[in-house]
Amino acid sequence: MTDEPNDTLPGMTGALGDTIEAVPALPGIEPRQQAFPPSHVIRSTYDRELADVKDNVLRMSAMVEAQIHAAIAALVTHDADAATKVIIDDRRINDLQREATTMIAATLATQGPVARDLRYLLTLDHVSYELERMGDHAGSVAKQARKLAPYPPLKSYVLLPQLGERVADLVAGIIRALIDVDEQRAREVAALDDQVDELYHHIFDEVLVLMREEPANVDPGTRILFASHYLERIGDRVTNIAEDIVFLASGEVEDLNP
């Protein structure tokens, strides 16, 4: 039987052990491109989104601090209109909190952060919630200030203005600790909440005495007690944020206000 020529494809020898050359790309067909963007592009996008969330939370904190000062000023000056403005402006804090939650959810869904990045986003989400509640408390103080406006001051409001200034300082301090992720500073700010508690209990005890001494003091005294309670709750929420910072820095959950 006569062997016939072995027609083979270009680049093939017909021997099983020989190397088969790669078939060249067909004209007009581009090689497959990379399916995902480079890692540095992903990181840049994440950093930009994280910066936007941080800016949002910082705006919230500045507004909360301003709201506390404004509520106390309305109380001391008997300015019902100023108190009403504080109540209305609380909506802006609520709006910022909703924006922060939406931004954080979008970043979690699209960037898939892990480890420290994930902890940071979760911390910012909880901080925005705590700030929103602080704004509510400042609005509640303003509501009491509006109701107290027609009354003469009951013993200079029994250290209530000092309590307001104290908690506003704590809000500013804890946000600085958050920006720097400063665990030690967060612990120090949380420890200062003891001073807030002392002021609150002093106000409570003294107002009860004033209410027992004079029935006319009952209504304004009750308003002062309500307002002092709302300010004390702001101090507790500052401690909650301090615990968030400890978690962010160390990964450990710790109760700083046992």
Side-chain angles (χ1 to χ4, degrees):
M1 185 174 181
T2 304
D3 291 336
E4 296 182 1
N6 185 15
D7 295 329
T8 59
L9 294 173
M12 299 179 66
T13 65
L16 293 177
D18 289 347
T19 302
I20 300 176
E21 296 180 2
V23 178
L26 295 177
I29 299 179
E30 296 294 332
R32 170 179 279 185
Q33 299 298 315
Q34 187 174 358
F36 300 100
S39 60
H40 71 275
V41 174
I42 296 175
R43 185 71 204 186
S44 176
T45 301
Y46 170 77
D47 289 341
R48 184 174 62 252
E49 292 179 359
L50 180 60
D52 290 341
V53 174
K54 288 171 63 177
D55 288 344
N56 188 292
V57 172
L58 290 178
R59 286 197 300 272
M60 284 186 69
S61 66
M63 288 185 63
V64 167
E65 186 181 354
Q67 286 280 88
I68 297 170
H69 287 301
I72 294 300
L75 172 76
V76 172
T77 59
H78 300 264
D79 192 336
D81 291 337
T84 299
K85 185 178 185 303
V86 173
I87 297 167
I88 294 173
D89 284 349
D90 181 50
R91 300 171 188 170
R92 296 166 57 198
I93 297 176
N94 297 340
D95 290 341
L96 285 174
Q97 196 269 334
R98 283 190 289 269
E99 289 178 18
T101 298
T102 300
M103 294 163 65
I104 290 169
T107 302
L108 290 173
T110 59
Q111 303 299 320
V114 296
R116 186 179 178 84
D117 288 340
L118 178 59
R119 288 208 307 269
Y120 199 27
L121 277 174
L122 294 177
T123 296
L124 290 177
D125 187 45
H126 190 247
V127 168
S128 71
Y129 165 77
E130 294 290 353
L131 289 171
E132 189 274 334
R133 295 298 295 131
M134 290 183 197
D136 290 344
H137 294 324
S140 295
V141 172
K143 290 177 183 177
Q144 300 307 317
R146 186 169 61 182
K147 293 176 180 177
L148 281 166
Y151 294 94
L154 182 61
K155 200 175 179 180
S156 299
Y157 299 111
V158 197
L159 298 181
L160 188 61
Q162 291 89 328
L163 178 59
E165 295 301 318
R166 175 79 280 188
V167 297
D169 289 344
L170 292 187
V171 172
I174 202 61
I175 295 303
R176 284 194 294 271
L178 174 65
I179 294 170
D180 299 332
V181 194
D182 188 337
E183 179 181 354
Q184 182 58 37
R185 176 60 178 164
R187 292 180 181 276
E188 292 171 357
V189 173
L192 293 174
D193 184 50
D194 290 342
Q195 298 178 8
V196 171
D197 293 339
E198 290 175 5
L199 278 171
Y200 169 67
H201 290 303
H202 179 84
I203 292 169
F204 189 89
D205 292 341
E206 189 162 353
V207 169
L208 285 183
V209 171
L210 293 170
M211 291 166 67
R212 291 191 187 103
E213 291 177 348
E214 176 57 59
N217 292 338
V218 171
D219 196 3
T222 301
R223 303 298 176 192
I224 291 173
L225 291 179
F226 279 142
S228 63
H229 170 71
Y230 296 131
L231 292 171
E232 189 270 339
R233 290 296 296 133
I234 292 176
D236 290 342
R237 294 189 180 280
V238 166
T239 300
N240 292 345
I241 295 178
E243 293 170 355
D244 290 335
I245 296 171
V246 171
F247 170 70
L248 175 61
S250 67
E252 299 294 328
V253 177
E254 186 174 346
D255 185 0
L256 299 181
N257 189 20

